[in-house]
Amino acid sequence: MPLDYPIAVRELPNGLRVVVSSDRSVPTVSVNLWVGVGSRHEEPGHTGFAHLFEHLMFQGSRNVAEGEHFATLLAQGARLNATTWFDRTNYFETVPTGAYELALWLEADRHGGLLDAVTQECLDNQRDVVKEEKRQRYDNRPYGNALVDIYATVFPDGHPYQHPTIGSMADLDAASLQDVHDFFRAHYAPNNTVLTLVGDLSEEEGFAAAERYFGSLAAVNVVDRPVPPLAPLDSPVRLQRVEEVPEDRLYVAFRLPAADAPDFLAAELAFDVLAAGATSRLYRRLVRGSQQATHAGRSVMGLAAGVSLGYFFFDAADGVSLETLETALVEELTALVEQPPSEVEMEVLLADTERWWLQSLAAQDERADLLSQYTLLYDDPDFINTYLDRVAQVTSADIARVAAQWLRPESRAVVTYEVKA
């Protein structure tokens, strides 16, 4: 039986899509906005702008002073933040029921009147903040640039998914105030945004509040660059790093179908059966069995524009070469095609998937985020109710078939980090 969370969707005259899911279990409301702008929407020479606005949006707007957005909502007992990704930027807060209209007023003020506060001084200040973030999160931590290296090996030069969301510091330094204002005007518009309200309110209360605070915002002509699908790599690609890291680490990445493609779920499950948790094939072989690795894992990034990304990662035990671990992975990739997941493995996959999905939906703020995601990127808000049924329809043969197409050993991109002697 599918899940049955109540979901109501309405589009305002200015193009803003509003999703309301009433949940009276606790006296809070999660306010969640997804804007259709991420690093893939940036032009060459102007990278890092989407992430920069994640910072600028908290620095004041037409009727809100610098720092007042955070301070005002925290005083109400709110939790709030924002993040940037390839396909979107999201802004979110969970507030007591009596404060959700305050949250909507603050969001509408910065989404409609941010540029009144984006001065040259503000821009220079936040550029410095982004540079410090890059030093902390990328440059001065072990394996900090691993994802940057993975993107560079998996995606071709100039592809919109090749550069990281943090962007180029040289591009940010070269950006003029006019460049930054133009980027905001091109992407931050109600017809490029989804507003989701989950919690202690009725559908009509949510729609009325959305109209009250966002209805006057003007739509713009949003231009989205089409991104053609990418096939798997034709031959292996390699990148080697020798750095001051705790232990040798191996990353092996693959292109995958876009997140809304029919085969994406099977590809995701293929990664799970190989390296998700202690019962997975690679963990049992390399960590619990031969003890050649101290850790084995995987990550799958479902992306919206023509291609997704998945990768495996392994930490080598003392005296074990990364080549040994890579050979073991290649053997298991081949075995997955020849020996599809067993009935027991499929039961474990489905049980684990159900557990983490229900755990995610139990939190109002995560449910709101998922509703915004699948409405903005795929026009499918009911995905949260149907996902488990879709997973249950994936067969063992589907997983083997998709692995044979997308996880061929010759299609791998390999990034190695080795301990500097």
Side-chain angles (χ1 to χ4, degrees):
M1 291 291 292
L3 296 173
D4 193 27
Y5 285 104
I7 301 168
V9 183
R10 185 175 298 176
E11 184 172 315
L12 302 187
N14 60 10
L16 178 71
R17 283 177 286 173
V18 183
V19 184
V20 181
S21 181
S22 181
D23 179 356
R24 303 288 192 174
S25 59
V26 290
T28 60
V29 175
S30 290
V31 177
N32 186 289
L33 292 103
W34 274 47
V35 184
V37 57
S39 56
R40 79 169 170 92
H41 301 95
E42 297 164 349
E43 299 289 343
H46 291 82
T47 64
F49 281 29
H51 174 253
L52 176 66
F53 272 103
E54 178 198 324
H55 289 261
L56 291 171
M57 289 282 275
F58 289 99
Q59 300 308 305
S61 51
R62 181 170 297 148
N63 299 297
V64 180
E66 179 181 353
E68 193 174 6
H69 189 110
F70 253 112
T72 301
L73 289 177
L74 288 176
Q76 297 292 324
R79 302 190 309 272
L80 66 154
N81 213 328
T83 66
T84 311
W85 191 232
F86 289 112
D87 295 316
R88 56 81 183 141
T89 308
N90 66 341
Y91 302 89
F92 47 92
E93 45 261 326
T94 296
V95 298
T97 303
Y100 81 84
E101 292 204 47
L102 171 63
L104 287 173
W105 179 83
L106 288 165
E107 288 289 2
D109 196 70
R110 64 180 179 175
H111 280 263
L114 179 80
L115 295 185
D116 289 8
V118 180
T119 63
Q120 187 66 52
E121 180 183 5
C122 176
L123 172 59
D124 293 341
N125 175 271
Q126 291 308 304
R127 270 196 284 230
D128 289 341
V129 172
V130 172
K131 290 177 183 178
E132 180 59 26
E133 179 181 348
K134 184 175 185 297
R135 286 189 286 268
Q136 291 183 6
R137 294 180 53 197
Y138 292 80
D139 301 337
N140 296 326
R141 62 186 298 180
Y143 319 108
N145 282 293
L147 285 178
V148 179
D149 291 336
I150 289 172
Y151 305 151
T153 54
V154 170
F155 300 118
D157 289 343
H159 193 275
Y161 286 143
Q162 193 192 48
H163 69 274
T165 54
I166 196 78
S168 161
M169 298 304 99
D171 287 353
L172 288 183
D173 280 337
S176 68
L177 185 62
Q178 188 62 50
D179 292 335
V180 172
H181 279 222
D182 289 345
F183 185 85
F184 182 87
R185 292 192 180 100
H187 298 285
Y188 276 81
N191 54 316
N192 197 35
T193 301
V194 166
L195 166 64
T196 298
L197 302 172
V198 174
D200 185 22
L201 77 174
S202 69
E203 294 173 4
E204 288 308 316
E205 286 173 332
F207 291 136
E211 175 68 44
R212 188 154 52 247
Y213 296 106
F214 285 84
S216 62
L217 272 59
V220 301
N221 181 26
V222 178
V223 179
D224 190 9
R225 290 186 299 160
V227 182
L230 280 182
L233 289 165
D234 294 326
S235 58
V237 179
R238 294 183 176 276
L239 192 156
Q240 180 186 34
R241 300 289 188 196
V242 179
E243 296 186 358
E244 293 181 354
V245 292
E247 51 198 344
D248 293 348
R249 180 174 291 181
L250 170 70
Y251 297 89
V252 182
F254 295 86
R255 295 173 184 171
L256 298 177
D260 59 343
D263 284 340
F264 175 75
L265 289 180
E268 193 172 37
L269 292 175
F271 272 79
D272 288 349
V273 75
L274 286 170
T279 61
S280 62
R281 294 184 179 187
L282 283 161
Y283 198 97
R284 285 188 286 118
R285 172 174 176 172
L286 295 175
V287 181
R288 297 171 60 189
S290 67
Q291 298 185 9
Q292 293 173 315
T294 60
H295 184 64
R298 59 83 183 95
S299 180
V300 177
M301 302 178 186
L303 304 175
V307 66
S308 292
L309 165 68
Y311 63 91
F312 302 97
F313 53 94
F314 309 89
D315 289 331
D318 290 344
V320 177
S321 69
L322 295 181
E323 290 80 5
T324 298
L325 302 183
E326 186 177 345
T327 298
L329 171 60
V330 168
E331 291 173 356
E332 291 297 334
L333 291 172
T334 302
L336 181 60
V337 177
E338 298 173 352
Q339 303 167 24
S342 67
E343 184 176 342
V344 171
E345 285 178 310
M346 292 300 294
E347 289 178 358
V348 171
L349 281 178
L350 293 176
D352 283 347
T353 301
E354 181 176 316
R355 174 188 53 78
W356 70 257
W357 187 248
L358 295 178
Q359 186 175 18
S360 297
L361 294 180
Q364 279 187 357
D365 53 353
E366 290 193 48
R367 201 182 322 146
D369 205 56
L370 288 166
L371 283 166
S372 290
Q373 174 184 350
Y374 287 98
T375 304
L376 178 77
L377 300 180
Y378 311 110
D379 198 24
D380 187 12
D382 200 47
F383 185 89
I384 69 166
N385 286 327
T386 62
Y387 171 70
L388 291 179
D389 295 303
R390 301 182 196 195
V391 171
Q393 292 172 3
V394 178
T395 67
S396 177
D398 290 332
I399 293 174
R401 173 182 55 80
V402 171
Q405 179 181 357
W406 292 92
L407 301 184
R408 295 176 300 159
E410 61 267 30
S411 298
R412 67 191 187 272
V414 181
V415 175
T416 60
Y417 276 69
E418 298 177 58
V419 177
K420 188 175 183 179

